Structure formats: structure tokens, C-alpha cells
Amino acid sequence: MVTPTAPPVHEEQLVAFRLAGEAYGIPIACVQEVIRACEITAIPRTPTYLRGVVNLRGKIVPVVDLRGRLGLPAAGGTAATRIVVVEVEDGVVGMVVDEVNEVLRLPVDRVEAPSDLVCDVTVDFIRAIGRRDDGLILLLDVARTLQIDA
């Protein structure tokens, strides 16, 4: 008897968003939902990039300022600001982004590991770089990005 196998993966499905004018993407499989920016309750004595927590339909969800986490300049929120709610090994976390653009499919032959010339501790959050017709998209390692520094 022949067991059916899944077709080979030839593309990545991503949620694309913008931060500080650059395009970023994360796998759609880890995204639970995208919500409008809302009131965030600050928690004292936490890292500056941890904005606080929100009540998401009765569940308390920590929210990370992705600009702060990636070392990008701070910016005020706009009407386009969104919180991307993702599920990682440690639980559910919200990430504040400038705007969410689209869900896209990126062929794997258009995705490359970042060059050793740009890799160091500060860019370990970038797992790959994708080429699109309209520019490059930085693919985040979500688990590493949301890992709290010791």
C-alpha cells in the first residue's frame, strides 16, 4: 500500500508588515490574528521593549514593541499601527508593528540566508532575506525575536 505524502514545500506563506520603512515577514502559521492598536497596561521593571499587557477577549497577552526589540528608532502610533498576535513555544505574544500589509507567498528559491557580513548578535533576529519584485523582505525568526534577554 502506498502512503500519500505531502507535496514538497516550494514556497513560504508569510504575513508581511512594515517597521521603520522596511518590509518584514513572519510565517503565517505562527500568527493567530492581527488587531488594531489598543490600550496597553504597562508593567513596571520590565525591559523597555515590553510595552505591557492587553486583555484579548479575557486572555492576558504580553505585548512587545518590535521597533524597540529590534533596536529601531521609536515612533508614535498611527491609524495603521497594529498588534500581530503570534503563538510561540512560551505562549501567545503581541507584537506592535507600524502596519500590516498583506499575506504573501514567497517561493523558496527567492529566500536566502543573510550574509555573514551582516550577521552578528544584533541581526540574529533575521533568519533569511526574501527577494520580491518590489524589493527585499526581512524574514524574522519569531522565537528568537521574542526571547527575553537574561
Side-chain angles (χ1 to χ4, degrees):
M1 181 173 176
V2 176
T3 305
T5 59
V9 176
H10 298 290
E11 61 187 15
E12 291 190 40
Q13 194 168 8
L14 306 165
V15 172
F17 56 89
R18 293 196 83 73
L19 276 177
E22 300 295 339
Y24 290 83
I26 58 175
I28 195 169
C30 69
V31 177
Q32 284 195 344
E33 63 186 295
V34 177
I35 62 173
R36 292 184 183 273
C38 57
E39 184 176 340
I40 299 172
T41 302
I43 299 176
R45 302 181 56 103
T46 57
T48 56
Y49 58 83
L50 184 58
R51 296 267 302 266
V53 294
V54 296
N55 181 352
L56 186 61
R57 292 182 298 282
K59 184 171 186 169
I60 304 301
V61 175
V63 177
V64 170
D65 179 346
L66 209 47
R67 277 179 170 259
R69 181 63 178 143
L70 298 178
L72 299 170
T78 69
T81 301
R82 296 289 183 268
I83 298 174
V84 179
V85 180
V86 298
E87 184 165 0
V88 291
E89 187 176 310
D90 296 332
V92 176
V93 178
M95 304 186 308
V96 177
V97 301
D98 293 352
E99 64 180 310
V100 173
N101 301 99
E102 62 184 318
V103 173
L104 62 94
R105 294 177 187 270
L106 191 63
V108 293
D109 64 350
R110 301 190 80 172
V111 175
E112 296 179 23
S115 164
D116 288 341
L117 292 174
V118 297
C119 285
D120 65 17
V121 173
T122 60
V123 294
D124 276 350
F125 304 129
I126 307 298
R127 70 173 173 82
I129 300 172
R131 294 184 314 274
R132 300 179 64 193
D133 293 338
D134 61 348
L136 300 177
I137 181 168
L138 304 172
L139 307 183
L140 287 180
D141 181 325
V142 177
R144 186 171 282 172
T145 300
L146 297 176
Q147 187 174 25
I148 302 297
D149 298 330

